[in-house]
PDB file of all heavy atoms in Angstrom:
ATOM      1  N   GLY E  23    -104.458 -84.658-138.277  1.00 79.00           N
ATOM      2  CA  GLY E  23    -105.603 -84.871-137.446  1.00 79.00           C
ATOM      3  C   GLY E  23    -105.265 -85.721-136.255  1.00 79.00           C
ATOM      4  O   GLY E  23    -104.294 -85.478-135.549  1.00 79.00           O
ATOM      5  N   GLU E  24    -106.007 -86.820-136.119  1.00 80.00           N
ATOM      6  CA  GLU E  24    -105.757 -87.755-135.011  1.00 80.00           C
ATOM      7  C   GLU E  24    -104.853 -88.950-135.453  1.00 80.00           C
ATOM      8  O   GLU E  24    -104.645 -89.851-134.648  1.00 80.00           O
ATOM      9  CB  GLU E  24    -107.096 -88.256-134.417  1.00 80.00           C
ATOM     10  CG  GLU E  24    -107.936 -87.173-133.812  1.00 80.00           C
ATOM     11  CD  GLU E  24    -109.210 -87.762-133.207  1.00 80.00           C
ATOM     12  OE1 GLU E  24    -109.512 -88.935-133.417  1.00 80.00           O
ATOM     13  OE2 GLU E  24    -109.966 -86.976-132.589  1.00 80.00           O
ATOM     14  N   HIS E  25    -104.462 -88.930-136.728  1.00 86.00           N
ATOM     15  CA  HIS E  25    -103.780 -90.097-137.265  1.00 86.00           C
ATOM     16  C   HIS E  25    -102.331 -89.665-137.660  1.00 86.00           C
ATOM     17  O   HIS E  25    -102.031 -88.495-137.780  1.00 86.00           O
ATOM     18  CB  HIS E  25    -104.495 -90.646-138.475  1.00 86.00           C
ATOM     19  CG  HIS E  25    -105.938 -91.035-138.206  1.00 86.00           C
ATOM     20  ND1 HIS E  25    -106.249 -92.175-137.519  1.00 86.00           N
ATOM     21  CD2 HIS E  25    -107.060 -90.398-138.486  1.00 86.00           C
ATOM     22  CE1 HIS E  25    -107.540 -92.279-137.423  1.00 86.00           C
ATOM     23  NE2 HIS E  25    -108.107 -91.208-137.981  1.00 86.00           N
ATOM     24  N   TYR E  26    -101.474 -90.703-137.811  1.00 88.00           N
ATOM     25  CA  TYR E  26    -100.123 -90.415-138.317  1.00 88.00           C
ATOM     26  C   TYR E  26    -100.193 -89.886-139.728  1.00 88.00           C
ATOM     27  O   TYR E  26    -101.026 -90.311-140.553  1.00 88.00           O
ATOM     28  CB  TYR E  26     -99.277 -91.711-138.294  1.00 88.00           C
ATOM     29  CG  TYR E  26     -98.926 -92.191-136.917  1.00 88.00           C
ATOM     30  CD1 TYR E  26     -99.389 -93.458-136.469  1.00 88.00           C
ATOM     31  CD2 TYR E  26     -98.162 -91.452-136.042  1.00 88.00           C
ATOM     32  CE1 TYR E  26     -99.047 -93.905-135.189  1.00 88.00           C
ATOM     33  CE2 TYR E  26     -97.835 -91.877-134.767  1.00 88.00           C
ATOM     34  CZ  TYR E  26     -98.273 -93.086-134.359  1.00 88.00           C
ATOM     35  OH  TYR E  26     -97.947 -93.528-133.095  1.00 88.00           O
ATOM     36  N   SER E  27     -99.308 -88.928-140.009  1.00 91.00           N
ATOM     37  CA  SER E  27     -99.297 -88.347-141.337  1.00 91.00           C
ATOM     38  C   SER E  27     -98.571 -89.227-142.320  1.00 91.00           C
ATOM     39  O   SER E  27     -97.957 -90.238-141.941  1.00 91.00           O
ATOM     40  CB  SER E  27     -98.617 -86.957-141.270  1.00 91.00           C
ATOM     41  OG  SER E  27     -97.224 -87.141-140.954  1.00 91.00           O
ATOM     42  N   ALA E  28     -98.587 -88.881-143.553  1.00 91.00           N
ATOM     43  CA  ALA E  28     -97.832 -89.607-144.583  1.00 91.00           C
ATOM     44  C   ALA E  28     -96.353 -89.596-144.355  1.00 91.00           C
ATOM     45  O   ALA E  28     -95.630 -90.584-144.557  1.00 91.00           O
ATOM     46  CB  ALA E  28     -98.078 -89.003-145.959  1.00 91.00           C
ATOM     47  N   ILE E  29     -95.884 -88.498-143.784  1.00 90.00           N
ATOM     48  CA  ILE E  29     -94.431 -88.385-143.417  1.00 90.00           C
ATOM     49  C   ILE E  29     -94.077 -89.371-142.280  1.00 90.00           C
ATOM     50  O   ILE E  29     -93.086 -90.070-142.354  1.00 90.00           O
ATOM     51  CB  ILE E  29     -94.103 -86.956-142.974  1.00 90.00           C
ATOM     52  CG1 ILE E  29     -94.092 -86.019-144.164  1.00 90.00           C
ATOM     53  CG2 ILE E  29     -92.742 -86.903-142.298  1.00 90.00           C
ATOM     54  CD1 ILE E  29     -93.878 -84.569-143.816  1.00 90.00           C
ATOM     55  N   ALA E  30     -94.952 -89.450-141.279  1.00 88.00           N
ATOM     56  CA  ALA E  30     -94.745 -90.427-140.200  1.00 88.00           C
ATOM     57  C   ALA E  30     -94.700 -91.829-140.707  1.00 88.00           C
ATOM     58  O   ALA E  30     -93.831 -92.608-140.360  1.00 88.00           O
ATOM     59  CB  ALA E  30     -95.782 -90.253-139.105  1.00 88.00           C
ATOM     60  N   ASN E  31     -95.645 -92.193-141.558  1.00 89.00           N
ATOM     61  CA  ASN E  31     -95.685 -93.558-142.102  1.00 89.00           C
ATOM     62  C   ASN E  31     -94.474 -93.863-142.983  1.00 89.00           C
ATOM     63  O   ASN E  31     -94.004 -94.984-143.064  1.00 89.00           O
ATOM     64  CB  ASN E  31     -97.014 -93.727-142.872  1.00 89.00           C
ATOM     65  CG  ASN E  31     -98.183 -93.884-141.972  1.00 89.00           C
ATOM     66  OD1 ASN E  31     -98.116 -94.607-140.971  1.00 89.00           O
ATOM     67  ND2 ASN E  31     -99.286 -93.184-142.315  1.00 89.00           N
ATOM     68  N   PHE E  32     -93.980 -92.844-143.665  1.00 88.00           N
ATOM     69  CA  PHE E  32     -92.743 -92.994-144.448  1.00 88.00           C
ATOM     70  C   PHE E  32     -91.623 -93.381-143.535  1.00 88.00           C
ATOM     71  O   PHE E  32     -90.791 -94.287-143.839  1.00 88.00           O
ATOM     72  CB  PHE E  32     -92.385 -91.720-145.208  1.00 88.00           C
ATOM     73  CG  PHE E  32     -91.046 -91.754-145.849  1.00 88.00           C
ATOM     74  CD1 PHE E  32     -90.866 -92.312-147.097  1.00 88.00           C
ATOM     75  CD2 PHE E  32     -89.935 -91.244-145.224  1.00 88.00           C
ATOM     76  CE1 PHE E  32     -89.607 -92.358-147.699  1.00 88.00           C
ATOM     77  CE2 PHE E  32     -88.668 -91.225-145.805  1.00 88.00           C
ATOM     78  CZ  PHE E  32     -88.510 -91.807-147.061  1.00 88.00           C
ATOM     79  N   PHE E  33     -91.494 -92.691-142.420  1.00 85.00           N
ATOM     80  CA  PHE E  33     -90.376 -92.988-141.453  1.00 85.00           C
ATOM     81  C   PHE E  33     -90.578 -94.425-140.888  1.00 85.00           C
ATOM     82  O   PHE E  33     -89.555 -95.165-140.785  1.00 85.00           O
ATOM     83  CB  PHE E  33     -90.397 -91.961-140.325  1.00 85.00           C
ATOM     84  CG  PHE E  33     -89.607 -90.733-140.557  1.00 85.00           C
ATOM     85  CD1 PHE E  33     -90.105 -89.743-141.379  1.00 85.00           C
ATOM     86  CD2 PHE E  33     -88.338 -90.554-140.055  1.00 85.00           C
ATOM     87  CE1 PHE E  33     -89.389 -88.601-141.648  1.00 85.00           C
ATOM     88  CE2 PHE E  33     -87.607 -89.383-140.315  1.00 85.00           C
ATOM     89  CZ  PHE E  33     -88.124 -88.426-141.141  1.00 85.00           C
ATOM     90  N   PHE E  34     -91.795 -94.782-140.544  1.00 85.00           N
ATOM     91  CA  PHE E  34     -92.043 -96.076-139.962  1.00 85.00           C
ATOM     92  C   PHE E  34     -91.668 -97.194-140.940  1.00 85.00           C
ATOM     93  O   PHE E  34     -91.153 -98.260-140.579  1.00 85.00           O
ATOM     94  CB  PHE E  34     -93.492 -96.270-139.577  1.00 85.00           C
ATOM     95  CG  PHE E  34     -93.937 -95.359-138.476  1.00 85.00           C
ATOM     96  CD1 PHE E  34     -95.229 -94.841-138.441  1.00 85.00           C
ATOM     97  CD2 PHE E  34     -93.044 -95.063-137.419  1.00 85.00           C
ATOM     98  CE1 PHE E  34     -95.639 -94.020-137.396  1.00 85.00           C
ATOM     99  CE2 PHE E  34     -93.455 -94.232-136.372  1.00 85.00           C
ATOM    100  CZ  PHE E  34     -94.785 -93.686-136.332  1.00 85.00           C
ATOM    101  N   THR E  35     -91.799 -96.931-142.246  1.00 85.00           N
ATOM    102  CA  THR E  35     -91.595 -97.943-143.248  1.00 85.00           C
ATOM    103  C   THR E  35     -90.124 -98.032-143.689  1.00 85.00           C
ATOM    104  O   THR E  35     -89.574 -99.103-143.863  1.00 85.00           O
ATOM    105  CB  THR E  35     -92.476 -97.672-144.509  1.00 85.00           C
ATOM    106  OG1 THR E  35     -93.829 -97.576-144.116  1.00 85.00           O
ATOM    107  CG2 THR E  35     -92.252 -98.747-145.571  1.00 85.00           C
ATOM    108  N   TYR E  36     -89.406 -96.858-143.792  1.00 80.00           N
ATOM    109  CA  TYR E  36     -88.158 -96.866-144.525  1.00 80.00           C
ATOM    110  C   TYR E  36     -86.943 -96.433-143.631  1.00 80.00           C
ATOM    111  O   TYR E  36     -85.819 -96.683-144.020  1.00 80.00           O
ATOM    112  CB  TYR E  36     -88.237 -95.908-145.713  1.00 80.00           C
ATOM    113  CG  TYR E  36     -89.200 -96.348-146.773  1.00 80.00           C
ATOM    114  CD1 TYR E  36     -90.410 -95.656-146.944  1.00 80.00           C
ATOM    115  CD2 TYR E  36     -88.923 -97.443-147.568  1.00 80.00           C
ATOM    116  CE1 TYR E  36     -91.300 -96.080-147.931  1.00 80.00           C
ATOM    117  CE2 TYR E  36     -89.838 -97.875-148.533  1.00 80.00           C
ATOM    118  CZ  TYR E  36     -91.023 -97.199-148.704  1.00 80.00           C
ATOM    119  OH  TYR E  36     -91.937 -97.575-149.664  1.00 80.00           O
ATOM    120  N   VAL E  37     -87.168 -95.786-142.514  1.00 78.00           N
ATOM    121  CA  VAL E  37     -86.058 -95.259-141.737  1.00 78.00           C
ATOM    122  C   VAL E  37     -85.712 -96.215-140.566  1.00 78.00           C
ATOM    123  O   VAL E  37     -86.573 -96.530-139.711  1.00 78.00           O
ATOM    124  CB  VAL E  37     -86.419 -93.871-141.135  1.00 78.00           C
ATOM    125  CG1 VAL E  37     -85.224 -93.387-140.332  1.00 78.00           C
ATOM    126  CG2 VAL E  37     -86.657 -92.872-142.243  1.00 78.00           C
ATOM    127  N   PRO E  38     -84.491 -96.766-140.573  1.00 72.00           N
ATOM    128  CA  PRO E  38     -84.078 -97.707-139.514  1.00 72.00           C
ATOM    129  C   PRO E  38     -84.220 -97.109-138.152  1.00 72.00           C
ATOM    130  O   PRO E  38     -83.814 -95.998-137.852  1.00 72.00           O
ATOM    131  CB  PRO E  38     -82.615 -98.005-139.853  1.00 72.00           C
ATOM    132  CG  PRO E  38     -82.515 -97.708-141.306  1.00 72.00           C
ATOM    133  CD  PRO E  38     -83.418 -96.549-141.542  1.00 72.00           C
ATOM    134  N   GLY E  39     -84.848 -97.862-137.223  1.00 72.00           N
ATOM    135  CA  GLY E  39     -85.010 -97.400-135.840  1.00 72.00           C
ATOM    136  C   GLY E  39     -86.258 -96.583-135.623  1.00 72.00           C
ATOM    137  O   GLY E  39     -86.612 -96.328-134.483  1.00 72.00           O
ATOM    138  N   ALA E  40     -86.894 -96.173-136.666  1.00 75.00           N
ATOM    139  CA  ALA E  40     -88.047 -95.296-136.545  1.00 75.00           C
ATOM    140  C   ALA E  40     -89.368 -96.088-136.555  1.00 75.00           C
ATOM    141  O   ALA E  40     -90.204 -95.988-137.419  1.00 75.00           O
ATOM    142  CB  ALA E  40     -88.120 -94.263-137.686  1.00 75.00           C
ATOM    143  N   SER E  41     -89.520 -96.913-135.539  1.00 79.00           N
ATOM    144  CA  SER E  41     -90.791 -97.721-135.418  1.00 79.00           C
ATOM    145  C   SER E  41     -91.773 -97.071-134.487  1.00 79.00           C
ATOM    146  O   SER E  41     -91.365 -96.167-133.699  1.00 79.00           O
ATOM    147  CB  SER E  41     -90.414 -99.125-134.870  1.00 79.00           C
ATOM    148  OG  SER E  41     -89.962 -99.031-133.543  1.00 79.00           O
ATOM    149  N   VAL E  42     -92.974 -97.476-134.567  1.00 82.00           N
ATOM    150  CA  VAL E  42     -94.062 -96.863-133.719  1.00 82.00           C
ATOM    151  C   VAL E  42     -93.692 -97.140-132.218  1.00 82.00           C
ATOM    152  O   VAL E  42     -93.763 -96.226-131.386  1.00 82.00           O
ATOM    153  CB  VAL E  42     -95.405 -97.511-134.012  1.00 82.00           C
ATOM    154  CG1 VAL E  42     -96.453 -97.018-133.032  1.00 82.00           C
ATOM    155  CG2 VAL E  42     -95.830 -97.157-135.466  1.00 82.00           C
ATOM    156  N   ASP E  43     -93.261 -98.375-131.925  1.00 83.00           N
ATOM    157  CA  ASP E  43     -92.868 -98.679-130.542  1.00 83.00           C
ATOM    158  C   ASP E  43     -91.761 -97.867-129.987  1.00 83.00           C
ATOM    159  O   ASP E  43     -91.803 -97.424-128.851  1.00 83.00           O
ATOM    160  CB  ASP E  43     -92.518-100.198-130.444  1.00 83.00           C
ATOM    161  CG  ASP E  43     -93.685-101.112-130.634  1.00 83.00           C
ATOM    162  OD1 ASP E  43     -94.835-100.625-130.494  1.00 83.00           O
ATOM    163  OD2 ASP E  43     -93.495-102.293-130.990  1.00 83.00           O
ATOM    164  N   ASN E  44     -90.737 -97.615-130.792  1.00 78.00           N
ATOM    165  CA  ASN E  44     -89.567 -96.812-130.382  1.00 78.00           C
ATOM    166  C   ASN E  44     -90.031 -95.366-130.051  1.00 78.00           C
ATOM    167  O   ASN E  44     -89.592 -94.797-129.044  1.00 78.00           O
ATOM    168  CB  ASN E  44     -88.476 -96.744-131.452  1.00 78.00           C
ATOM    169  CG  ASN E  44     -87.691 -98.042-131.436  1.00 78.00           C
ATOM    170  OD1 ASN E  44     -87.761 -98.871-130.516  1.00 78.00           O
ATOM    171  ND2 ASN E  44     -86.926 -98.263-132.472  1.00 78.00           N
ATOM    172  N   PHE E  45     -90.885 -94.812-130.887  1.00 80.00           N
ATOM    173  CA  PHE E  45     -91.318 -93.463-130.620  1.00 80.00           C
ATOM    174  C   PHE E  45     -92.186 -93.400-129.346  1.00 80.00           C
ATOM    175  O   PHE E  45     -92.108 -92.397-128.609  1.00 80.00           O
ATOM    176  CB  PHE E  45     -92.082 -92.941-131.847  1.00 80.00           C
ATOM    177  CG  PHE E  45     -91.271 -92.375-132.927  1.00 80.00           C
ATOM    178  CD1 PHE E  45     -91.000 -93.088-134.084  1.00 80.00           C
ATOM    179  CD2 PHE E  45     -90.655 -91.116-132.801  1.00 80.00           C
ATOM    180  CE1 PHE E  45     -90.199 -92.580-135.097  1.00 80.00           C
ATOM    181  CE2 PHE E  45     -89.872 -90.621-133.786  1.00 80.00           C
ATOM    182  CZ  PHE E  45     -89.612 -91.356-134.937  1.00 80.00           C
ATOM    183  N   LEU E  46     -93.059 -94.372-129.125  1.00 78.00           N
ATOM    184  CA  LEU E  46     -93.845 -94.355-127.933  1.00 78.00           C
ATOM    185  C   LEU E  46     -93.008 -94.519-126.646  1.00 78.00           C
ATOM    186  O   LEU E  46     -93.301 -93.884-125.675  1.00 78.00           O
ATOM    187  CB  LEU E  46     -94.880 -95.517-128.024  1.00 78.00           C
ATOM    188  CG  LEU E  46     -96.004 -95.435-129.049  1.00 78.00           C
ATOM    189  CD1 LEU E  46     -96.849 -96.653-129.062  1.00 78.00           C
ATOM    190  CD2 LEU E  46     -96.793 -94.119-128.805  1.00 78.00           C
ATOM    191  N   ILE E  47     -91.939 -95.316-126.759  1.00 79.00           N
ATOM    192  CA  ILE E  47     -91.032 -95.494-125.605  1.00 79.00           C
ATOM    193  C   ILE E  47     -90.322 -94.163-125.258  1.00 79.00           C
ATOM    194  O   ILE E  47     -90.286 -93.729-124.096  1.00 79.00           O
ATOM    195  CB  ILE E  47     -89.981 -96.582-125.892  1.00 79.00           C
ATOM    196  CG1 ILE E  47     -90.664 -97.994-125.894  1.00 79.00           C
ATOM    197  CG2 ILE E  47     -88.859 -96.611-124.844  1.00 79.00           C
ATOM    198  CD1 ILE E  47     -89.756 -99.079-126.415  1.00 79.00           C
ATOM    199  N   VAL E  48     -89.819 -93.533-126.292  1.00 77.00           N
ATOM    200  CA  VAL E  48     -89.050 -92.309-126.079  1.00 77.00           C
ATOM    201  C   VAL E  48     -90.056 -91.194-125.638  1.00 77.00           C
ATOM    202  O   VAL E  48     -89.701 -90.356-124.769  1.00 77.00           O
ATOM    203  CB  VAL E  48     -88.392 -91.828-127.400  1.00 77.00           C
ATOM    204  CG1 VAL E  48     -87.821 -90.456-127.292  1.00 77.00           C
ATOM    205  CG2 VAL E  48     -87.312 -92.801-127.816  1.00 77.00           C
ATOM    206  N   LYS E  49     -91.247 -91.188-126.170  1.00 75.00           N
ATOM    207  CA  LYS E  49     -92.252 -90.223-125.726  1.00 75.00           C
ATOM    208  C   LYS E  49     -92.518 -90.274-124.234  1.00 75.00           C
ATOM    209  O   LYS E  49     -92.638 -89.251-123.574  1.00 75.00           O
ATOM    210  CB  LYS E  49     -93.547 -90.480-126.502  1.00 75.00           C
ATOM    211  CG  LYS E  49     -94.573 -89.344-126.396  1.00 75.00           C
ATOM    212  CD  LYS E  49     -95.749 -89.651-127.295  1.00 75.00           C
ATOM    213  CE  LYS E  49     -96.830 -88.520-127.187  1.00 75.00           C
ATOM    214  NZ  LYS E  49     -97.989 -88.767-128.089  1.00 75.00           N
ATOM    215  N   LYS E  50     -92.588 -91.450-123.720  1.00 75.00           N
ATOM    216  CA  LYS E  50     -92.785 -91.621-122.217  1.00 75.00           C
ATOM    217  C   LYS E  50     -91.560 -91.102-121.462  1.00 75.00           C
ATOM    218  O   LYS E  50     -91.714 -90.450-120.406  1.00 75.00           O
ATOM    219  CB  LYS E  50     -93.069 -93.084-121.895  1.00 75.00           C
ATOM    220  CG  LYS E  50     -94.408 -93.595-122.391  1.00 75.00           C
ATOM    221  CD  LYS E  50     -94.609 -95.060-122.046  1.00 75.00           C
ATOM    222  CE  LYS E  50     -95.912 -95.583-122.550  1.00 75.00           C
ATOM    223  NZ  LYS E  50     -96.136 -97.019-122.241  1.00 75.00           N
ATOM    224  N   LEU E  51     -90.370 -91.347-121.949  1.00 77.00           N
ATOM    225  CA  LEU E  51     -89.158 -90.975-121.254  1.00 77.00           C
ATOM    226  C   LEU E  51     -89.098 -89.488-121.183  1.00 77.00           C
ATOM    227  O   LEU E  51     -88.479 -88.911-120.180  1.00 77.00           O
ATOM    228  CB  LEU E  51     -87.957 -91.550-121.928  1.00 77.00           C
ATOM    229  CG  LEU E  51     -87.727 -93.068-121.824  1.00 77.00           C
ATOM    230  CD1 LEU E  51     -86.549 -93.507-122.679  1.00 77.00           C
ATOM    231  CD2 LEU E  51     -87.465 -93.432-120.390  1.00 77.00           C
ATOM    232  N   TYR E  52     -89.575 -88.738-122.155  1.00 78.00           N
ATOM    233  CA  TYR E  52     -89.432 -87.313-122.164  1.00 78.00           C
ATOM    234  C   TYR E  52     -90.166 -86.593-121.021  1.00 78.00           C
ATOM    235  O   TYR E  52     -89.857 -85.493-120.672  1.00 78.00           O
ATOM    236  CB  TYR E  52     -89.954 -86.702-123.493  1.00 78.00           C
ATOM    237  CG  TYR E  52     -88.910 -86.657-124.619  1.00 78.00           C
ATOM    238  CD1 TYR E  52     -89.191 -87.184-125.820  1.00 78.00           C
ATOM    239  CD2 TYR E  52     -87.691 -86.046-124.359  1.00 78.00           C
ATOM    240  CE1 TYR E  52     -88.195 -87.166-126.888  1.00 78.00           C
ATOM    241  CE2 TYR E  52     -86.727 -85.971-125.363  1.00 78.00           C
ATOM    242  CZ  TYR E  52     -87.027 -86.581-126.610  1.00 78.00           C
ATOM    243  OH  TYR E  52     -86.073 -86.466-127.584  1.00 78.00           O
ATOM    244  N   ASN E  53     -91.136 -87.257-120.468  1.00 69.00           N
ATOM    245  CA  ASN E  53     -91.922 -86.665-119.376  1.00 69.00           C
ATOM    246  C   ASN E  53     -91.035 -86.272-118.187  1.00 69.00           C
ATOM    247  O   ASN E  53     -91.335 -85.265-117.555  1.00 69.00           O
ATOM    248  CB  ASN E  53     -93.047 -87.626-118.938  1.00 69.00           C
ATOM    249  CG  ASN E  53     -94.096 -87.785-119.975  1.00 69.00           C
ATOM    250  OD1 ASN E  53     -94.303 -86.914-120.825  1.00 69.00           O
ATOM    251  ND2 ASN E  53     -94.767 -88.996-120.028  1.00 69.00           N
ATOM    252  N   GLU E  54     -89.979 -87.064-117.942  1.00 72.00           N
ATOM    253  CA  GLU E  54     -89.169 -86.798-116.755  1.00 72.00           C
ATOM    254  C   GLU E  54     -87.745 -86.459-117.117  1.00 72.00           C
ATOM    255  O   GLU E  54     -87.050 -85.731-116.386  1.00 72.00           O
ATOM    256  CB  GLU E  54     -89.166 -88.021-115.827  1.00 72.00           C
ATOM    257  CG  GLU E  54     -90.391 -88.193-114.984  1.00 72.00           C
ATOM    258  CD  GLU E  54     -90.170 -89.244-113.947  1.00 72.00           C
ATOM    259  OE1 GLU E  54     -89.485 -88.998-112.909  1.00 72.00           O
ATOM    260  OE2 GLU E  54     -90.689 -90.368-114.202  1.00 72.00           O
ATOM    261  N   TYR E  55     -87.237 -86.987-118.222  1.00 78.00           N
ATOM    262  CA  TYR E  55     -85.780 -86.915-118.462  1.00 78.00           C
ATOM    263  C   TYR E  55     -85.483 -86.274-119.818  1.00 78.00           C
ATOM    264  O   TYR E  55     -84.629 -86.753-120.545  1.00 78.00           O
ATOM    265  CB  TYR E  55     -85.177 -88.292-118.435  1.00 78.00           C
ATOM    266  CG  TYR E  55     -85.547 -89.113-117.194  1.00 78.00           C
ATOM    267  CD1 TYR E  55     -86.457 -90.139-117.258  1.00 78.00           C
ATOM    268  CD2 TYR E  55     -84.985 -88.779-115.958  1.00 78.00           C
ATOM    269  CE1 TYR E  55     -86.775 -90.885-116.139  1.00 78.00           C
ATOM    270  CE2 TYR E  55     -85.352 -89.501-114.853  1.00 78.00           C
ATOM    271  CZ  TYR E  55     -86.233 -90.507-114.886  1.00 78.00           C
ATOM    272  OH  TYR E  55     -86.537 -91.302-113.806  1.00 78.00           O
ATOM    273  N   SER E  56     -86.166 -85.198-120.182  1.00 82.00           N
ATOM    274  CA  SER E  56     -86.019 -84.640-121.512  1.00 82.00           C
ATOM    275  C   SER E  56     -84.566 -84.319-121.901  1.00 82.00           C
ATOM    276  O   SER E  56     -84.137 -84.683-122.978  1.00 82.00           O
ATOM    277  CB  SER E  56     -86.885 -83.370-121.639  1.00 82.00           C
ATOM    278  OG  SER E  56     -86.569 -82.436-120.605  1.00 82.00           O
ATOM    279  N   PHE E  57     -83.861 -83.618-121.013  1.00 84.00           N
ATOM    280  CA  PHE E  57     -82.478 -83.227-121.332  1.00 84.00           C
ATOM    281  C   PHE E  57     -81.638 -84.508-121.516  1.00 84.00           C
ATOM    282  O   PHE E  57     -80.834 -84.612-122.499  1.00 84.00           O
ATOM    283  CB  PHE E  57     -81.871 -82.385-120.198  1.00 84.00           C
ATOM    284  CG  PHE E  57     -80.395 -82.069-120.426  1.00 84.00           C
ATOM    285  CD1 PHE E  57     -80.057 -80.911-121.142  1.00 84.00           C
ATOM    286  CD2 PHE E  57     -79.407 -82.886-119.926  1.00 84.00           C
ATOM    287  CE1 PHE E  57     -78.702 -80.636-121.362  1.00 84.00           C
ATOM    288  CE2 PHE E  57     -78.081 -82.593-120.154  1.00 84.00           C
ATOM    289  CZ  PHE E  57     -77.700 -81.467-120.848  1.00 84.00           C
ATOM    290  N   TRP E  58     -81.720 -85.462-120.612  1.00 83.00           N
ATOM    291  CA  TRP E  58     -80.835 -86.592-120.611  1.00 83.00           C
ATOM    292  C   TRP E  58     -81.190 -87.583-121.750  1.00 83.00           C
ATOM    293  O   TRP E  58     -80.263 -88.261-122.244  1.00 83.00           O
ATOM    294  CB  TRP E  58     -80.886 -87.360-119.240  1.00 83.00           C
ATOM    295  CG  TRP E  58     -80.230 -86.542-118.209  1.00 83.00           C
ATOM    296  CD1 TRP E  58     -80.875 -85.910-117.129  1.00 83.00           C
ATOM    297  CD2 TRP E  58     -78.891 -86.131-118.143  1.00 83.00           C
ATOM    298  NE1 TRP E  58     -79.922 -85.241-116.371  1.00 83.00           N
ATOM    299  CE2 TRP E  58     -78.664 -85.367-117.005  1.00 83.00           C
ATOM    300  CE3 TRP E  58     -77.769 -86.467-118.911  1.00 83.00           C
ATOM    301  CZ2 TRP E  58     -77.456 -84.864-116.602  1.00 83.00           C
ATOM    302  CZ3 TRP E  58     -76.520 -85.940-118.556  1.00 83.00           C
ATOM    303  CH2 TRP E  58     -76.367 -85.139-117.440  1.00 83.00           C
ATOM    304  N   VAL E  59     -82.433 -87.610-122.175  1.00 83.00           N
ATOM    305  CA  VAL E  59     -82.789 -88.434-123.290  1.00 83.00           C
ATOM    306  C   VAL E  59     -82.087 -87.926-124.549  1.00 83.00           C
ATOM    307  O   VAL E  59     -81.523 -88.700-125.358  1.00 83.00           O
ATOM    308  CB  VAL E  59     -84.321 -88.455-123.536  1.00 83.00           C
ATOM    309  CG1 VAL E  59     -84.662 -89.161-124.839  1.00 83.00           C
ATOM    310  CG2 VAL E  59     -85.000 -89.171-122.428  1.00 83.00           C
ATOM    311  N   VAL E  60     -82.176 -86.633-124.793  1.00 88.00           N
ATOM    312  CA  VAL E  60     -81.505 -86.014-125.945  1.00 88.00           C
ATOM    313  C   VAL E  60     -79.971 -86.169-125.847  1.00 88.00           C
ATOM    314  O   VAL E  60     -79.354 -86.520-126.810  1.00 88.00           O
ATOM    315  CB  VAL E  60     -81.916 -84.523-126.083  1.00 88.00           C
ATOM    316  CG1 VAL E  60     -81.179 -83.875-127.278  1.00 88.00           C
ATOM    317  CG2 VAL E  60     -83.368 -84.404-126.268  1.00 88.00           C
ATOM    318  N   PHE E  61     -79.450 -85.833-124.714  1.00 86.00           N
ATOM    319  CA  PHE E  61     -77.979 -85.971-124.527  1.00 86.00           C
ATOM    320  C   PHE E  61     -77.466 -87.367-124.767  1.00 86.00           C
ATOM    321  O   PHE E  61     -76.497 -87.600-125.418  1.00 86.00           O
ATOM    322  CB  PHE E  61     -77.621 -85.480-123.133  1.00 86.00           C
ATOM    323  CG  PHE E  61     -76.140 -85.571-122.857  1.00 86.00           C
ATOM    324  CD1 PHE E  61     -75.332 -84.471-123.109  1.00 86.00           C
ATOM    325  CD2 PHE E  61     -75.489 -86.696-122.345  1.00 86.00           C
ATOM    326  CE1 PHE E  61     -73.949 -84.493-122.878  1.00 86.00           C
ATOM    327  CE2 PHE E  61     -74.171 -86.796-122.125  1.00 86.00           C
ATOM    328  CZ  PHE E  61     -73.381 -85.681-122.346  1.00 86.00           C
ATOM    329  N   THR E  62     -78.179 -88.318-124.212  1.00 84.00           N
ATOM    330  CA  THR E  62     -77.758 -89.746-124.299  1.00 84.00           C
ATOM    331  C   THR E  62     -77.752 -90.161-125.800  1.00 84.00           C
ATOM    332  O   THR E  62     -76.782 -90.803-126.287  1.00 84.00           O
ATOM    333  CB  THR E  62     -78.656 -90.685-123.520  1.00 84.00           C
ATOM    334  OG1 THR E  62     -78.590 -90.306-122.159  1.00 84.00           O
ATOM    335  CG2 THR E  62     -78.285 -92.136-123.658  1.00 84.00           C
ATOM    336  N   ALA E  63     -78.805 -89.853-126.466  1.00 83.00           N
ATOM    337  CA  ALA E  63     -78.897 -90.193-127.909  1.00 83.00           C
ATOM    338  C   ALA E  63     -77.845 -89.463-128.759  1.00 83.00           C
ATOM    339  O   ALA E  63     -77.338 -89.949-129.710  1.00 83.00           O
ATOM    340  CB  ALA E  63     -80.276 -89.931-128.462  1.00 83.00           C
ATOM    341  N   GLY E  64     -77.577 -88.221-128.346  1.00 85.00           N
ATOM    342  CA  GLY E  64     -76.647 -87.434-129.087  1.00 85.00           C
ATOM    343  C   GLY E  64     -75.208 -87.938-128.994  1.00 85.00           C
ATOM    344  O   GLY E  64     -74.369 -87.744-129.889  1.00 85.00           O
TER     345      GLY E  64
END
C-alpha cells in the first residue's frame, strides 16, 4: 500500500547499507543519472 512492506523492513533491519536514508538518496539520484548510478555501484 502506502507503507514499507515486511521485506523492506527486513532489509532496513538486517542488511548492511540498506537504510531508509540510503534508499532515499539513491532514489533522487536516479532522476538524472540512472545509468551512471548503477554503473558506479557495480
Side-chain angles (χ1 to χ4, degrees):
E24 296 181 354
H25 303 285
Y26 290 118
S27 66
I29 289 178
N31 286 316
F32 171 84
F33 273 79
F34 294 146
T35 303
Y36 297 106
V37 178
S41 67
V42 175
D43 289 341
N44 283 347
F45 277 103
L46 290 176
I47 291 170
V48 173
K49 191 174 179 181
K50 290 180 180 179
L51 289 172
Y52 272 129
N53 292 332
E54 281 190 78
Y55 310 107
S56 54
F57 176 89
W58 291 112
V59 171
V60 178
F61 180 90
T62 300

